[in-house]
């Protein structure tokens, strides 16, 4: 599978203590860098790392819902690995064989895959675990900034023709645990 749009991957190892907080901050940071409407910023402090976010009730609800689905999937099964996949699309006219307009279709232009693995560090390893997680968050921010400001990251964004709302593009967040899509 070789899609003709960028896929950005972020790998993170989490523990029960900070999983929801970390995933919420990562998703918010991705949205912060990819919403093109008027964004009211907010910040998330996670393990002494400040991450940007979006203060918008609809986006906050979407992120909370998806993080909760991920959490429940991890908690209820034996599999401790999962993904949160953020897909940005554009609406294009869909045509049939004879070039007859038959409605609109959503065509992805960029995807972000957050690969998350749950671990439970021993209490004596907590400090090292948290330091590694903080380092992972800083790397994730660097990946976001590097990609969104790169030539490939900028040219991936379609022409904005409808500038209403917080995003002119449809956004989907899929949750997978053990390779199975949830919720």
């Amino acid at each position: 599978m070789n899609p003709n749009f960028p896929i950005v991957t972020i790998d993170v190892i989490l523990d029960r203590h900070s999983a929801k907080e970390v995933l919420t901050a990562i998703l918010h940071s991705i949205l912060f860098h990819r919403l093109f409407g008027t964004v009211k910023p907010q910040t998330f402090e996670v393990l002494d790392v400040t991450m940007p976010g979006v203060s918008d009730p609809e986006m906050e609800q979407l992120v909370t819902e998806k993080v909760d689905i991920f959490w429940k999937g991890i908690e209820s099964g034996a599999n401790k690995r999962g993904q949160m996949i953020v897909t940005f699309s554009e609406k294009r006219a869909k045509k049939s064989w004879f070039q007859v307009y038959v409605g609109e279709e959503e065509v992805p232009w960029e995807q972000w895959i957050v690969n998350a693995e749950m671990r439970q560090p021993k209490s004596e390893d907590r400090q090292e675990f948290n330091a590694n997680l903080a380092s992972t968050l800083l790397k994730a921010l660097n990946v976001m900034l590097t990609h969104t400001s790169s030539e490939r990251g900028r040219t991936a964004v379609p022409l904005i023709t409808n500038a209403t709302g917080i995003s002119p593009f449809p956004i989907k967040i899929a949750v997978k645990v053990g390779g199975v899509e949830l919720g």
Side-chain angles (χ1 to χ4, degrees):
M1 186 179 109
N2 184 9
N4 51 0
F5 55 87
I7 295 177
V8 184
T9 305
I10 295 169
D11 297 318
V12 62
I13 295 173
L14 306 164
D15 68 329
R16 296 175 60 101
H17 178 71
S18 59
K20 282 184 167 186
E21 187 182 19
V22 168
L23 289 172
T24 297
I26 290 173
L27 292 176
H28 263 278
S29 294
I30 292 168
L31 292 171
F32 179 84
H33 287 93
R34 278 304 191 214
L35 294 176
F36 295 99
T38 303
V39 171
K40 184 179 173 196
Q42 68 173 319
T43 56
F44 293 87
E45 294 289 329
V46 183
L47 301 171
D48 294 328
V49 177
T50 303
M51 299 189 70
V54 180
S55 179
D56 174 77
E58 197 178 315
M59 289 296 133
E60 287 173 10
Q61 182 183 344
L62 176 66
V63 168
T64 300
E65 251 172 49
K66 298 301 182 176
V67 169
D68 285 347
I69 289 168
F70 180 86
W71 178 255
K72 286 179 186 129
I74 289 286
E75 284 292 286
S76 67
N79 204 311
K80 299 300 175 200
R81 290 173 188 251
Q83 294 180 315
M84 301 198 74
I85 304 161
V86 183
T87 305
F88 296 94
S89 302
E90 68 172 315
K91 289 189 179 199
R92 287 192 194 155
K94 186 176 183 179
K95 297 191 165 111
S96 67
W97 281 7
F98 303 106
Q99 297 301 306
V100 177
Y101 176 78
V102 290
E104 286 185 326
E105 64 181 336
E106 290 184 10
V107 179
W109 54 267
E110 187 171 83
Q111 197 169 64
W112 295 74
I113 300 174
V114 181
N115 292 311
E117 181 181 339
M118 293 290 279
R119 291 202 188 145
Q120 198 51 49
K122 296 181 181 102
S123 54
E124 63 267 21
D125 298 333
R126 165 75 48 207
Q127 201 170 352
E128 183 185 354
F129 184 88
N130 286 349
N132 288 339
L133 186 49
S135 173
T136 297
L137 290 174
L138 288 170
K139 284 182 196 149
L141 275 174
N142 192 34
V143 165
M144 290 175 209
L145 289 167
T146 302
H147 173 73
T148 57
S149 63
S150 72
E151 183 66 24
R152 184 159 193 237
R154 289 193 317 269
T155 56
V157 182
L159 187 64
I160 298 172
T161 56
N162 176 8
T164 59
I166 195 164
S167 176
F169 306 112
I171 301 165
K172 283 198 173 72
I173 301 177
V175 177
K176 288 184 178 179
V177 173
V180 177
E181 190 162 340
L182 307 174

